[in-house]
Amino acid sequence: MYNDHNKSIAFVINSLEGGGAERVICNLLRTMQDIFTEQTCKVYLVLLDDLPEEQQCPDYVEKITLDARGKLVPSYRQLNQWVKQHNPDLLVSFLTRSNVVSTLIGKRYDIPTIISERVNTSSHFATSRTGFISKFMVKMVYPKATCVVPVSQGVMQDLIDNYAVPKEKCTVMYNAYDQAVLAEKANQPVADLPNKPYFIGIGRLVPNKNFSLMIKAFANSASQRDLVILGQGPELPALKALAKELGVESRVRLMGFRENPYPYLANADYLVSTSNAEGFPNGIAEAMCLGKPVIATNCQSGPAEILTGDNNTQTDSYLAAQHGILCKVNDLDSIKSAIDVMEEQDTIGKYQKRSQLRASTFSYIAMQNTFSNLIQKARSANSYS
């Protein structure tokens, strides 16, 4: 366990805008609070960008907001200046830009760095205009970090195979979920719950989440339910137009971003995820914590690991797996067929029980133990320790 008095740790992330990584870093800070305060450890959270915040940092953490405006070079310069002034004993970062600048600055000042990779790097940058540059930076910089923390086995394998990250530097740390807190949030009243039975999709409306595939599969399925989609993003107008074109405009409810999505999730009959790439999909795990059956594409990485226990599970079409239904990526017929299977009698009830059982394996105690051990590993690996 972590056992160093009067040390300081700086956590670094791009911002606290709404998103999975932002939620996880705040959850991790809350999870580690008792240990950090007992050891009188000074904890900072450094935000590279000055943006509206959807997630809340715990009160014991000193939050610092820089203004790099999403740019790499200003991120490096501003974080470098802050680190030079405050000289933390450890840097912990989330997301690619934060990881790159934190690792470079850590090497410069001989500060150990723990970097957390939240997505499958190869898939995440596959369609980006700047993807080649981003992948090159990851390959050049990530191996220099003291410890690399992939969110799943699949993300770890991608980093080892394609980005020269040594396996011995990697420690998988699954996201953790407080089922009691999720249930409490799910029970909060909201004014606009749909009246008709529905299934749900949640996430940013961007190409990588492939909500267009979800709408097409829904339109071709035999489902009598409505489809509710929570999220905001640049694809909203195109998704509205697609629903109208397919004749399901009245049954597809694009409800925008919700700070508390859990009442909508808890009242859904099941969750569908059609992503082209994930790291460790929070939406799937949280749905399972609330006892919701899941249909998910077999993208790298995370869904197969959650639904079958094996990240290497292959799917030619759809697979009614132990903990949910796994579908071929970007395949209209497999998603449509999975929806039809989920609509069959007793399928939802069967997967409700299996979801709850599987969700119990993602605990805060496991996250706390893993991260405490990581701190010790980073300190012992660094030359000055």
Side-chain angles (χ1 to χ4, degrees):
M1 293 288 284
Y2 172 67
N3 193 29
D4 245 336
H5 286 269
N6 303 313
K7 294 286 189 178
S8 61
I9 299 179
F11 289 77
V12 184
I13 193 168
N14 300 351
S15 71
L16 288 183
E17 278 194 303
E22 294 84 351
R23 188 184 309 122
V24 170
I25 201 170
C26 290
N27 283 343
L28 177 59
L29 288 167
R30 280 187 282 271
T31 301
M32 296 300 296
Q33 179 169 352
D34 290 346
I35 291 176
F36 287 153
T37 53
E38 180 187 343
Q39 301 296 338
T40 60
C41 177
K42 176 68 176 176
V43 181
Y44 302 95
L45 176 62
V46 183
L47 309 180
L48 298 180
D49 303 329
D50 187 5
L51 292 169
E53 297 177 11
E54 301 288 354
Q55 304 297 329
Q56 189 162 3
C57 165
D59 291 340
Y60 82 98
V61 177
E62 182 177 336
K63 185 175 66 178
I64 292 92
T65 304
L66 307 179
D67 192 17
R69 302 186 180 186
K71 303 296 185 183
L72 183 68
V73 172
S75 296
Y76 179 87
R77 287 175 178 163
Q78 292 179 32
L79 182 63
N80 180 72
Q81 184 65 27
W82 185 88
V83 168
K84 188 177 178 181
Q85 289 176 348
H86 293 83
N87 193 31
D89 299 291
L90 177 66
L91 290 168
V92 181
S93 70
F94 282 56
L95 299 177
T96 307
R97 174 160 50 101
S98 300
N99 290 344
V100 168
V101 297
S102 295
T103 301
L104 293 173
I105 291 167
K107 291 295 287 185
R108 180 173 184 176
Y109 296 110
D110 201 24
I111 299 170
T113 52
I114 297 173
I115 63 173
S116 179
E117 187 69 349
R118 316 307 305 167
V119 296
N120 182 280
T121 310
S122 295
S123 300
H124 182 66
F125 291 124
T127 58
S128 168
R129 285 183 299 172
T130 58
F132 173 79
I133 298 170
S134 299
K135 287 194 280 190
F136 177 78
M137 284 194 303
V138 168
K139 193 168 186 175
M140 292 298 101
V141 176
Y142 276 30
K144 301 180 189 299
T146 315
C147 297
V148 180
V149 188
V151 72
S152 67
Q153 296 289 338
V155 169
M156 180 177 75
Q157 201 59 53
D158 182 51
L159 290 172
I160 294 168
D161 292 346
N162 300 313
Y163 299 94
V165 176
K167 186 175 183 179
E168 60 270 18
K169 286 193 174 187
C170 293
T171 301
V172 172
M173 184 173 74
Y174 290 124
N175 294 340
Y177 308 90
D178 189 325
Q179 288 177 280
V181 169
L182 288 174
E184 183 183 332
K185 289 181 177 179
N187 286 325
Q188 291 179 7
V190 292
D192 58 350
L193 275 177
N195 295 320
K196 294 181 180 179
Y198 63 93
F199 67 88
I200 194 167
I202 303 174
R204 274 187 54 75
L205 307 183
V206 293
N208 202 39
K209 296 295 183 183
N210 211 349
F211 281 107
S212 59
L213 177 66
M214 189 183 301
I215 293 172
K216 289 174 187 174
F218 169 65
N220 282 276
S221 75
S223 176
Q224 297 302 302
R225 291 171 170 81
D226 283 357
L227 167 58
V228 168
I229 295 176
L230 297 187
Q232 60 190 12
E235 289 213 309
L236 178 61
L239 294 174
K240 284 183 175 180
L242 177 63
K244 185 173 184 179
E245 177 190 331
L246 296 173
V248 289
E249 183 182 17
S250 64
R251 297 176 58 208
V252 175
R253 301 195 56 177
L254 290 145
M255 298 181 66
F257 175 80
R258 291 293 188 274
E259 188 172 346
N260 179 12
Y262 303 108
Y264 306 91
L265 180 56
N267 283 277
D269 291 319
Y270 55 93
L271 174 92
V272 177
S273 171
T274 47
S275 293
N276 294 330
E278 290 283 359
F280 188 88
N282 287 315
I284 291 176
E286 289 177 340
M288 296 174 86
C289 286
L290 293 171
K292 295 297 147 182
V294 170
I295 294 170
T297 45
N298 188 17
C299 62
Q300 288 297 311
S301 51
E305 208 164 318
I306 296 173
L307 300 183
T308 74
D310 180 7
N311 183 63
N312 296 313
T313 302
Q314 300 299 310
T315 45
D316 292 326
S317 177
Y318 73 92
L319 172 67
Q322 184 176 0
H323 307 295
I325 302 180
L326 198 63
C327 300
K328 186 177 179 181
V329 176
N330 200 26
D331 187 83
L332 174 61
D333 187 63
S334 67
I335 297 287
K336 175 256 180 194
S337 298
I339 291 171
D340 288 342
V341 168
M342 192 64 83
E343 299 277 340
E344 291 174 1
Q345 189 174 7
D346 299 331
T347 305
I348 289 177
K350 177 179 74 173
Y351 276 119
Q352 282 174 337
K353 294 175 184 176
R354 294 183 181 184
S355 285
Q356 287 174 320
L357 186 64
R358 178 59 170 158
S360 66
T361 62
F362 306 116
S363 72
Y364 277 99
I365 292 297
M367 174 185 264
Q368 187 183 79
N369 289 339
T370 300
F371 194 73
S372 296
N373 291 332
L374 270 166
I375 294 174
Q376 296 290 40
K377 179 181 176 182
R379 292 197 190 285
S380 62
N382 216 55
S383 57
Y384 84 95
S385 297

